């Protein structure tokens, strides 16, 4: 199992930690199942998660990585009042985690062999550089 990955040139690390580890206290002060730390580019996930819940939580955290590594946070923040920034980020990540697989699976089912995975804008910079 990989413990790190690149996203748009940023190296992200994944750490599985005790559910009681204080790293799992999010920026609102609440204990959570996982957090993404933009300053260290680290995802920390409670090590007692498994199955569908682990998938959903990890995909949610990958959403945070996408927003940070592809520079999407300023655009998202521009669209909502500052007091809603965290809520907006969480909503985007929940949409991705809850519905992303359905969207991709449906597209693949309908398009069949015409379906291709598309790299996000910016990925080509990592390849060309």
């Amino acid at each position: 199992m990989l413990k790190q990955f690149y996203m748009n040139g940023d190296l992200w690390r994944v750490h599985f930690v005790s559910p009681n580890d204080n790293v799992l206290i999010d920026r609102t002060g609440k204990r959570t199942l996982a957090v993404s730390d933009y300053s260290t580019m680290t995802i920390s996930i409670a090590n007692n998660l498994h199955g569908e819940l682990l998938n959903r939580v990890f995909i949610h955290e990958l959403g945070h990585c996408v927003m940070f590594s592809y520079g999407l946070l300023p655009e998202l923040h521009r669209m909502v009042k500052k007091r809603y920034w965290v809520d907006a980020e969480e909503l985007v990540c929940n949409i991705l985690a809850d519905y992303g697989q359905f969207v991709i699976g449906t597209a693949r089912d309908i398009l069949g062999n015409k379906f291709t995975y598309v790299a996000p804008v910016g990925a080509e910079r990592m390849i060309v550089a």
Side-chain angles (χ1 to χ4, degrees):
M1 177 168 42
L2 294 174
K3 299 284 181 157
Q4 61 186 26
F5 60 93
Y6 282 95
M7 185 173 287
N8 199 32
D10 292 339
L11 177 62
W12 286 88
R13 290 181 169 73
V14 180
H15 294 250
F16 290 88
V17 299
S18 164
N20 301 314
D21 193 311
N22 284 339
V23 74
L24 295 179
I25 297 175
D26 70 13
R27 58 190 157 175
T28 68
K30 295 180 184 173
R31 182 163 299 280
T32 187
L33 300 174
V35 295
S36 294
D37 184 338
Y38 300 149
S39 66
T40 63
M41 287 189 273
T42 301
I43 298 173
S44 299
I45 303 176
N47 62 12
N48 62 343
L49 302 182
H50 60 275
E52 189 176 321
L53 180 59
L54 175 59
N55 291 348
R56 182 178 184 276
V57 168
F58 185 60
I59 291 169
H60 174 101
E61 294 308 317
L62 286 174
H64 287 290
C65 299
V66 165
M67 287 190 289
F68 179 81
S69 290
Y70 285 96
L72 303 176
L73 287 171
E75 186 71 8
L76 180 66
H77 292 167
R78 184 184 64 76
M79 293 181 207
V80 298
K81 293 181 179 180
K82 189 170 185 172
R83 68 178 181 257
Y84 299 121
W85 284 5
V86 171
D87 291 338
E89 291 174 36
E90 293 302 312
L91 176 63
V92 168
C93 293
N94 284 337
I95 290 170
L96 178 62
D98 293 341
Y99 303 103
Q101 291 177 327
F102 172 75
V103 169
I104 297 298
T106 301
R108 194 176 50 239
D109 291 347
I110 299 296
L111 298 177
N113 63 2
K114 293 180 183 178
F115 179 82
T116 58
Y117 287 97
V118 178
V121 173
E124 69 279 358
R125 285 179 284 187
M126 189 173 75
I127 295 167
V128 174

